[in-house]
Amino acid sequence: MRLLKWLVVGCAVLGVASDSTAADPVEHKIMFAEYGKGPNRLVELDAKGKVTWEHKFPSIAVIFQVLPDGHVIYAYGGKPTGVREIDRDQKVIWDYQSKCPQVLGCRRLSNGNTLVAEQGPCKAVEVNKDGKVVKETPLTTSEKGYHLQVRNVHKLANGNIWRAHEGEGAVREVDTDGKVVWEYTKVENAGEAIRLANGNTLISCGTQKRVIEVNPKGEVVWEFGARDAPELNLTWISSLQVLKNGNYVVGNFLRGQEGKGAHAFEVTKDKKVVWTFADHKLAQSITTLRVLDDK
């Protein structure tokens, strides 16, 4: 078992792998979405673990994106349901209300439009800044109940739509007409999948308690799971982020395991854990976590 040195800063607990450079511990400014037994909210922390900003969601929300100007965009799943952009003064800058039963996934695109993952029926909707739908792409899933049909959604450089189907436990790429061109299935509670620069795919395997990298042939070429770091108490892998240094930041949704293990961690390709976040006084369980100081 890899031993961790724990740095206690206020009420925050930040861990650094014991074989990392002691004189230069890893610290991160982060933002996370809390959901579960605690309040459903967004929280930003500085590198020392101090709360610097907080926002209460209007209804159920689990996925967000921090934009280059510091604004935050997130999907909310109440009545109404849709996607909202806010600034740091809590002012609503942009709001799209969907006619579907629930939206929990979204992504701001490079062209300024917003990709919305609608549930019931399951489809990806591209909305412009005026709130007009400019493109709809049907998404294939066997999940009948709308709540678990789709989570994170992305638009690839080739124009295809890339997303994770949590209830079905699958990740799929479809073309602009909705035709499936690539998929990987038999994953439990898949919340996020990222197409890597090398053409492989990084997948959060939810309650399988692991992260896998899969090549285009569907072969697992890298895996990090509960056996690699038992001290993290991997429970439900919920979010993924690829840092510029090549490391992965992994969100660990501690539903049913509140107060135990790490909310999130950074791991290298050689499976060295170099940073953890585990502040159980501040948060009980989080769904999405993003490192904000990746430069």
Side-chain angles (χ1 to χ4, degrees), residues 79-98:
K79 294 182 180 180
T81 186
V83 178
R84 179 171 293 177
E85 178 186 347
I86 61 170
D87 65 16
R88 291 311 175 98
D89 294 322
Q90 314 283 341
K91 180 182 178 181
V92 176
I93 303 300
W94 184 84
D95 189 65
Y96 168 75
Q97 294 185 2
S98 173

Side-chain angles (χ1 to χ4, degrees), residues 175-190:
D175 63 18
T176 55
D177 295 321
K179 180 182 177 181
V180 177
V181 298
W182 192 89
E183 67 178 357
Y184 188 86
T185 60
K186 298 181 180 179
V187 178
E188 293 179 1
N189 301 110

Side-chain angles (χ1 to χ4, degrees), residues 8-284:
V8 182
V9 185
C11 64
V13 183
L14 307 177
V16 182
S18 60
D19 50 353
S20 64
T21 304
D24 188 22
V26 176
E27 296 179 331
H28 285 308
K29 178 181 178 181
I30 63 173
M31 184 179 291
F32 64 81
E34 182 175 12
Y35 171 75
K37 288 186 176 180
N40 197 193
R41 59 178 179 160
L42 270 175
V43 181
E44 181 183 276
L45 304 180
D46 66 17
K48 299 298 183 181
K50 180 182 178 181
V51 175
T52 55
W53 185 80
E54 184 174 339
H55 174 74
K56 183 178 180 180
F57 292 123
S59 57
I60 177 176
V62 295
I63 294 167
F64 67 91
Q65 178 188 4
V66 181
L67 303 178
D69 61 2
H71 293 183
V72 179
I73 187 170
Y74 61 82
Y76 56 95
K79 294 182 180 180
T81 186
V83 178
R84 179 171 293 177
E85 178 186 347
I86 61 170
D87 65 16
R88 291 311 175 98
D89 294 322
Q90 314 283 341
K91 180 182 178 181
V92 176
I93 303 300
W94 184 84
D95 189 65
Y96 168 75
Q97 294 185 2
S98 173
K99 296 179 181 179
C100 76
Q102 189 178 68
V103 175
L104 289 179
C106 64
R107 187 76 180 176
R108 178 61 53 82
L109 304 177
S110 59
N111 64 3
N113 292 346
T114 301
L115 194 62
V116 180
E118 294 193 340
Q119 305 186 121
C122 188
K123 58 184 176 179
V125 176
E126 186 172 337
V127 182
N128 67 18
K129 64 180 180 179
D130 296 320
K132 180 181 178 181
V133 175
V134 297
K135 176 67 177 178
E136 292 188 4
T137 304
L139 303 179
T140 303
T141 180
S142 62
E143 180 70 22
K144 302 302 181 184
Y146 65 81
H147 176 63
L148 295 176
Q149 285 186 337
V150 61
R151 287 295 178 263
N152 276 282
V153 62
H154 303 273
K155 190 172 186 178
L156 301 177
N158 61 7
N160 290 352
I161 303 298
W162 179 249
R163 80 284 182 186
H165 295 289
E166 183 172 339
E168 184 181 356
V171 297
R172 291 192 176 95
E173 177 185 350
V174 298
D175 63 18
T176 55
D177 295 321
K179 180 182 177 181
V180 177
V181 298
W182 192 89
E183 67 178 357
Y184 188 86
T185 60
K186 298 181 180 179
V187 178
E188 293 179 1
N189 301 110
E192 175 67 295
I194 299 174
R195 180 60 52 79
L196 302 174
N198 63 4
N200 292 347
T201 300
L202 193 68
I203 303 172
S204 68
C205 296
T207 47
Q208 287 179 344
K209 306 178 181 182
R210 62 183 184 138
V211 180
I212 58 175
E213 182 180 340
V214 180
N215 67 19
K217 295 181 180 180
E219 301 166 333
V220 176
V221 297
W222 183 87
E223 178 176 345
F224 184 89
R227 290 180 296 182
D228 294 303
E231 68 276 12
L232 298 177
N233 188 32
L234 298 189
T235 302
W236 186 321
I237 304 302
S238 55
S239 69
L240 299 171
Q241 181 181 4
V242 180
L243 299 183
K244 293 179 179 178
N245 62 10
N247 294 350
Y248 301 144
V249 174
V250 182
N252 182 30
F253 183 41
L254 293 171
R255 190 163 199 171
Q257 291 288 312
E258 292 86 355
K260 306 172 184 177
H263 291 299
F265 60 94
E266 178 185 346
V267 62
T268 67
K269 287 298 294 290
D270 60 0
K271 301 187 179 185
K272 175 183 174 183
V273 176
V274 296
W275 172 85
T276 62
F277 170 64
D279 188 340
H280 299 292
K281 290 184 179 180
L282 177 63
Q284 296 199 51

